[in-house]
Amino acid sequence: MLRAARRSFLPETMLQAVQDTCFPAAQTLRCPGGRVLDLRRPQVMGILNLTPDSFFEGNRIGNADELLRRAEAMLQAGAAVLDLGGYSSRPGAEDITEDEEKRRLLPAVEAVRRAFPEAILSVDTFRSGVASEAVAAGADILNDISGGELDPEMLPTAGRLGVPYILMHMRGTPQTMAQQTHYEGDIVLEMARYFRDKLAVLRAAGVTDVVLDPGFGFAKTPAQSHELLRRLPELRVLGLPILAGLSRKTLVYKPLGLSPDAALTGTIAVNALALLNGARLLRVHDVAEAVQTVQLVSTTYPQLSS
């Protein structure tokens, strides 16, 4: 499978550049406080959305008590990571100030860390100032939808903070990405080049633990996202864990003629495909169902958990 994937889009010169530029293959993320996220077996990341306009209404959180109830339920259901975000990244979402993002996010991080001291917490932000304060408040991982494109200080900040970094592929901003879905060449080749170049910057900044996120739905049509899902094994040549964020997205519900609220069954299906194609971390709204998907896929294909 790996040889076939290499022939499909990576010339030998680029393979050498990847080997020279990227980090050694790794399946664990070292977090603050001695916490370790082991991705030798696929894991689940639960979404805790602190925005009032999340595309999935069922995931909106109204107050601190509800936040802690959701966090506890996700951890009990088997979530290995909780991902907290205060900036809506759905297509066309309203841009908010950094102060407003901090107002939503930082008290939530502090509350979840206080209530669940052993939990691994990720923060979904593209702003270096938010990232710094969130890590000081108890966050373990930075989840940046922009790959440092929207804040030039983000990648150096990740290195300074010494925390794992989730590197996502996106074009434009949440406000403009829906108009940036045209790719001149092979979309997977462009993504591989993007990751290669960003990994070089991260390495120079001192970041050692990285997860790759293809950015399903971010500046990608549903058809392009399905192509990425099918060709996910080709990105494994980069030697890093892959996150799949497919939960209730357009690529799931639009082909079925449904809404996000009705897209759980479809989400389970595409999550299973992502696992079979090498994803090690599933970012989801529905943790229990995703954990069950991981268990069943890993039972049928035990080689995926090694």
Side-chain angles (χ1 to χ4, degrees):
M1 175 66 77
L2 184 56
R3 291 194 185 96
R6 288 181 176 178
R7 284 199 300 269
S8 65
F9 77 88
L10 285 180
E12 289 302 316
T13 53
M14 186 171 176
L15 279 174
Q16 187 60 52
V18 167
Q19 293 167 359
D20 291 344
T21 303
C22 298
F23 308 105
Q27 296 295 338
T28 58
L29 303 183
R30 294 160 292 177
C31 301
R35 290 177 286 272
V36 175
L37 178 60
D38 186 350
L39 296 176
R40 289 175 295 181
R41 183 178 188 273
Q43 302 288 351
V44 172
M45 169 188 280
I47 301 169
L48 291 172
N49 203 317
L50 306 166
T51 65
D53 57 343
S54 169
F55 78 94
F56 175 39
E57 187 174 352
N59 193 237
R60 297 174 188 171
I61 295 173
N63 55 58
D65 289 340
E66 184 178 2
L67 168 68
L68 294 180
R69 285 196 299 270
R70 292 266 189 99
E72 183 176 26
M74 288 181 171
L75 292 170
Q76 289 181 346
V81 187
L82 300 178
D83 189 47
L84 294 85
Y87 185 104
S88 178
S89 57
R90 64 176 175 80
E94 177 187 1
D95 187 24
I96 63 170
T97 66
E98 182 168 330
D99 286 343
E100 175 62 17
E101 184 181 359
K102 289 178 181 178
R103 186 192 68 80
R104 296 176 181 178
L105 180 63
L106 297 180
V109 173
E110 291 173 350
V112 176
R113 170 56 66 219
R114 188 164 51 248
F116 309 103
E118 300 305 314
I120 296 177
L121 307 183
S122 166
V123 286
D124 182 356
T125 185
F126 57 81
R127 289 168 166 153
S128 59
V130 176
S132 294
E133 293 192 35
V135 170
D140 299 296
I141 299 171
L142 301 181
N143 182 11
D144 179 7
I145 63 169
S146 80
E149 290 291 314
L150 298 181
D151 182 345
E153 292 303 313
M154 186 54 142
L155 303 190
T157 296
R160 177 178 58 80
L161 294 172
V163 295
Y165 180 83
I166 299 173
L167 169 62
M168 198 185 87
H169 176 273
M170 181 181 72
R171 286 172 157 186
T173 69
Q175 294 75 38
T176 65
M177 63 184 179
Q179 289 76 51
Q180 301 195 40
T181 59
H182 176 70
Y183 294 80
E184 292 291 343
D186 186 290
I187 188 172
V188 180
L189 175 57
E190 177 169 326
M191 188 172 298
R193 288 171 172 159
Y194 168 89
F195 284 142
R196 175 199 63 188
D197 294 344
K198 290 292 182 181
L199 287 167
V201 178
L202 284 164
R203 183 179 187 180
V207 180
T208 56
D209 291 5
V210 180
V211 175
L212 305 180
D213 180 353
F216 292 101
F218 287 81
K220 300 165 190 78
T221 66
Q224 289 167 337
S225 290
H226 280 283
E227 180 180 359
L228 281 175
L229 180 58
R230 183 177 69 253
R231 297 176 60 189
L232 205 59
E234 297 178 39
L235 295 177
R236 293 170 64 188
V237 299
L238 294 165
L240 295 172
I242 295 174
L243 179 151
L246 299 157
S247 184
R248 296 180 182 267
K249 286 188 174 179
T250 306
L251 80 152
V252 178
Y253 67 81
K254 189 172 183 179
L256 300 173
L258 301 173
S259 67
D261 289 346
L264 176 56
T265 301
T267 295
I268 293 169
V270 294
N271 277 339
L273 293 172
L275 293 170
L276 291 171
N277 284 335
R280 291 287 170 166
L281 189 59
L282 300 179
R283 183 178 183 271
V284 302
H285 301 94
D286 309 282
V287 169
E289 292 82 354
V291 169
Q292 291 169 16
T293 302
V294 169
Q295 290 173 338
L296 287 174
V297 171
S298 298
T299 297
T300 306
Y301 297 92
Q303 66 271 25
L304 296 178
S305 297
S306 61

